[in-house]
Amino acid sequence: MMRRFAVIATLFAVMTLCSTDLTVAQTQPAQPAPPADARPMFATSKVEGTDNVYIFRYQNHQSMFVVTNSGVIATDPIGLRRPQAVTTYVDEIKKVTDQPIKYVIYSHSHYDHIAGGKLFKDLGATFVAHRNAKAQLEKFPSPDVVMPDEVVDNERTLNLGGTMLELLYVGRNHSDNSLVMRLPKEKLIFTVDFIPIQTLLFRNLPDTASPPEWEASLQRVAALEWERMIPGHPYAGGRLGTKQDVMDLIGYMQDLAAEVKKAAAEGKCIDTAMKEVKLPKYENWGNYANFLPLNVERYCYLNNGF
Ligand SMILES: [Zn+2]
């Protein structure tokens, strides 16, 4: 009985609070809206200093496409639960060239980047992904994801209309099947999800087998020859990445590992460490407040041997 009374009392308090808020909202002058996403829904831009490399952004995902006089190499369809992203992507390519879309290269197996490729398939594109991506998609098939036609193991070079595009596997990181796409002449790479720019790692690193292997894969990327990186999400104001960004991310992972190791030695893993570990050096990075505890959680597991 007491409990029921408490629930009713709480409900009443909540209702009072809501109606109070409503009154305040009605009597206060209109506040400026919170900074909504002011960008247009999508944008296509040619990468400065190149003749034929483009970035297609739809909401918060981006893909690279390369136009040659023997056809187009597209990457991730980025059409999960939004088929209009894919029709827009194809329309944007058609605005630039009449050449057919010959290839779609998957950056990795996550649906938010690769769902929606059917339209490209219908237009005759050949789909390429890392071997482990195909295995993953066979394990978890989705009607929205086109199965790769061809797979890459460690390395493959596509030559199309005078453009060379390398597809490189640098080891397990954010997934076990991420490809680095490198344009040697343009000194550009396209990487998705495993090199966030001045941004923390995603949540508690889902689908990541080994954070140390991730770090090793970053060292391999840093050792490649390139100058600018196109990421799969627009980070840090939408700029391209640099090798310094890769080194900074390695530094973040090392600082995180060291702090969590200390917390683990003091018996604070997992919950206390999630609350207490701070890395103020990175507090201006994207998702610092919301993802740091989750990054700590993942590194606590590492200290427990998994
Ligand atoms: Zn991903």
Side-chain angles (χ1 to χ4, degrees), residues 12-52:
F12 185 72
V14 169
M15 284 163 70
T16 312
L17 207 65
C18 289
S19 63
T20 310
D21 281 350
L22 204 63
T23 315
V24 171
Q26 282 165 345
T27 53
Q28 296 274 322
Q31 296 294 309
D37 192 342
R39 299 171 304 180
M41 184 75 89
F42 65 89
T44 302
S45 52
K46 191 191 222 181
V47 176
E48 215 184 294
T50 71
D51 299 327
N52 59 346

Side-chain angles (χ1 to χ4, degrees), residues 108-110 112-113 174-175 192-193 233:
H108 65 307
S109 61
H110 295 162
D112 63 314
H113 291 273
H174 162 80
S175 70
V192 176
D193 286 355
H233 298 278

Side-chain angles (χ1 to χ4, degrees), residues 56-292:
F56 170 68
R57 176 188 63 77
Y58 198 95
Q59 291 174 317
N60 206 39
H61 286 71
Q62 356 188 84
S63 295
M64 174 182 79
F65 66 91
V66 185
V67 176
T68 81
N69 50 24
S70 300
V72 177
I73 303 171
T75 63
D76 299 345
I78 55 174
L80 182 65
R81 290 186 290 273
R82 48 179 195 194
Q84 70 278 18
V86 186
T87 49
T88 305
Y89 190 174
V90 170
D91 288 346
E92 291 290 284
I93 292 173
K94 287 188 183 308
K95 278 185 201 168
V96 176
T97 180
D98 294 332
Q99 290 291 333
I101 299 162
K102 290 276 178 71
Y103 290 101
V104 170
I105 318 294
Y106 286 165
S107 62
H108 65 307
S109 61
H110 295 162
Y111 298 166
D112 63 314
H113 291 273
I114 64 168
K118 189 175 179 298
L119 177 57
F120 287 97
K121 189 76 208 164
D122 293 344
L123 292 168
T126 297
F127 283 61
V128 182
H130 187 264
R131 182 179 297 280
N132 297 348
K134 187 171 185 185
Q136 184 76 0
L137 294 170
E138 281 167 345
K139 226 190 301 175
F140 301 103
S142 158
D144 297 328
V145 176
V146 172
M147 200 55 82
D149 301 300
E150 298 175 3
V151 295
V152 180
D153 286 305
N154 284 327
E155 183 167 357
R156 174 175 173 183
T157 302
L158 290 178
N159 279 294
L160 190 69
T163 293
M164 187 189 278
L165 175 67
E166 291 175 355
L167 311 178
L168 306 167
Y169 184 61
V170 291
R172 300 194 295 185
N173 40 51
H174 162 80
S175 70
D176 71 353
N177 57 62
S178 302
L179 287 177
V180 175
M181 304 185 207
R182 188 175 85 99
L183 289 156
K185 184 174 126 254
E186 292 78 6
K187 293 188 168 39
L188 274 171
I189 58 170
F190 173 52
T191 70
V192 176
D193 286 355
F194 78 95
I195 312 182
I197 299 170
Q198 293 182 328
T199 298
L200 268 65
L201 305 173
F202 182 67
R203 303 188 65 89
N204 68 351
L205 290 63
D207 203 19
T208 295
S210 161
E213 283 183 37
W214 185 335
E215 206 183 300
S217 84
L218 295 174
Q219 299 284 7
R220 285 184 204 110
V221 173
L224 298 171
E225 197 192 341
W226 58 275
E227 287 171 358
R228 293 177 295 167
M229 177 187 76
I230 301 168
H233 298 278
Y235 302 104
R239 68 173 173 85
L240 300 185
T242 62
K243 281 203 179 168
Q244 188 58 52
D245 291 315
V246 178
M247 300 320 291
D248 289 348
L249 181 60
I250 292 170
Y252 168 74
M253 291 172 105
Q254 290 174 346
D255 289 344
L256 174 65
E259 283 306 305
V260 174
K261 195 174 178 185
K262 261 190 263 170
E266 291 164 13
K268 290 179 172 172
C269 273
I270 297 169
D271 291 334
T272 306
M274 286 174 70
K275 288 191 198 90
E276 290 186 3
V277 171
K278 302 288 175 221
L279 292 168
K281 187 175 160 189
Y282 302 95
E283 65 191 2
N284 294 324
W285 280 26
N287 292 324
Y288 176 82
N290 47 343
F291 288 174
L292 181 64

